[in-house]
Amino acid sequence: MITINPNKASLTTTQLEALKPLSSCVLSDALDVVLGRLSPAEQPVHIGGCLPGGIQEIRHYDTPMIGTATTIYEPNGTSLPLHLAMATHAQDHILIISTDECTNVAYMGDIQALLSARNHCAGIVIDGYIRDRQGIAELDMPVFSRGSLPKRPTKEELGGINVPIKIGDTHIDPGDIIFGDTDGVVIIPATLLALVIDEAIKKEESDNNRKNKVAQFNFANAHTTLDYIDIMTKDVANFVKTNQDKL
């Protein structure tokens, strides 16, 4: 039996434009800061986070993958839920697939990827393998996976569409925001998006200021660890100040 639920989540134009100049690194840091400020009662049940590092872009894309999640659960090597979701739940969403860490089949080939791309899918993230890698890489649609494998999947009637899923230690709900780039994929709970964007913009500005300081820093005149404080992060600078007698 396959459970299928609706999903009408979407990003506003303002939210999308705010996210485009950011990076997965900045958003991950911002999410950590926001979650750290919330009391346990204020935190969402699923707090989002980064997907495992093995899930990477099939090829490099000039712009990040951004969109709301259509979640797909595919246990026991079946790809039937993904085939159904490509037809009816892909438009303007990112398909994100939990496979229960299955490693012996490929869940999607180039024909399925083409179908999704032509159906205006915003991207695909698979906690597993694909096949027909070259054909998928030629499409103008971001695809993230653990790699490629020739073996086809089954079509057992199992799993679900728009159900809560888990990839690694990260829980994903339908409608969560997904951001992917060359460093990986970050999941942001929809309820925290505004707070995370605000914090990420501040983080981006702070990082750019530090980059400028590093670019202009006079390394020839730096002789002790204390001399580098101005180009260190606050936590490292505080450590140096507190432990200068040991350095």
Side-chain angles (χ1 to χ4, degrees):
M1 177 178 176
I2 297 176
T3 301
I4 302 177
N5 297 314
N7 178 8
K8 296 183 179 181
S10 63
L11 289 169
T12 67
T13 301
T14 300
Q15 289 170 331
L16 186 59
E17 292 304 313
L19 287 165
K20 281 181 179 178
L22 301 174
S23 70
S24 61
C25 298
V26 166
L27 287 167
S28 176
D29 291 353
L31 179 59
D32 286 344
V33 171
V34 169
L35 290 171
R37 289 175 180 165
L38 298 178
S39 69
E42 293 173 317
Q43 290 190 358
V45 176
H46 301 319
I47 61 175
C50 295
L51 296 190
I55 300 174
Q56 296 290 323
E57 294 176 317
I58 297 302
R59 68 171 174 85
H60 174 68
Y61 300 89
D62 293 332
T63 57
M65 176 184 68
I66 308 170
T68 52
T70 285
T71 56
I72 302 171
Y73 178 50
E74 297 197 323
N76 295 352
T78 180
S79 67
L80 184 56
L82 176 57
H83 281 260
L84 298 175
M86 287 172 175
T88 57
H89 294 79
Q91 292 185 17
D92 302 320
H93 290 294
I94 292 172
L95 302 178
I96 181 164
I97 300 106
S98 171
T99 68
D100 276 349
E101 300 182 352
C102 177
T103 60
N104 61 355
V105 300
Y107 282 88
M108 181 184 73
D110 56 354
I111 297 175
Q112 292 77 41
L114 176 61
L115 188 159
S116 301
R118 297 228 34 223
N119 204 16
H120 303 288
C121 179
I124 298 177
V125 180
I126 301 178
D127 182 26
Y129 294 89
I130 59 151
R131 65 182 192 169
D132 304 315
R133 184 187 185 105
Q134 183 60 41
I136 292 175
E138 292 171 357
L139 295 175
D140 189 22
M141 179 186 68
V143 175
F144 288 69
S145 78
R146 289 190 177 274
S148 56
L149 182 72
K151 185 174 175 58
R152 68 181 180 179
T154 69
K155 299 296 187 295
E156 288 187 74
E157 192 176 333
L158 297 170
I161 300 171
N162 287 319
V163 295
I165 61 172
K166 184 179 180 182
I167 295 178
D169 294 328
T170 302
H171 292 267
I172 305 106
D173 279 343
D176 281 352
I177 289 75
I178 301 177
F179 186 105
D181 61 17
T182 190
D183 284 306
V185 179
V186 178
I187 311 298
I188 305 170
T191 55
L192 299 182
L193 181 59
L195 294 173
V196 171
I197 287 176
D198 287 346
E199 190 61 40
I201 291 172
K202 295 175 187 175
K203 169 69 174 171
E204 184 81 355
E205 183 179 356
S206 175
D207 284 354
N208 287 334
N209 288 337
R210 281 193 62 228
K211 286 178 185 177
N212 289 334
K213 286 183 178 180
V214 171
Q216 298 171 18
F217 188 74
N218 189 340
F219 286 86
N221 289 337
H223 305 293
T224 70
T225 309
L226 280 172
D227 294 331
Y228 290 86
I229 281 180
D230 283 345
I231 59 172
M232 291 177 171
T233 59
K234 289 182 179 180
D235 48 357
V236 176
N238 288 336
F239 174 84
V240 170
K241 291 175 183 177
T242 305
N243 296 273
Q244 56 182 296
D245 57 321
K246 303 175 184 177
L247 300 173

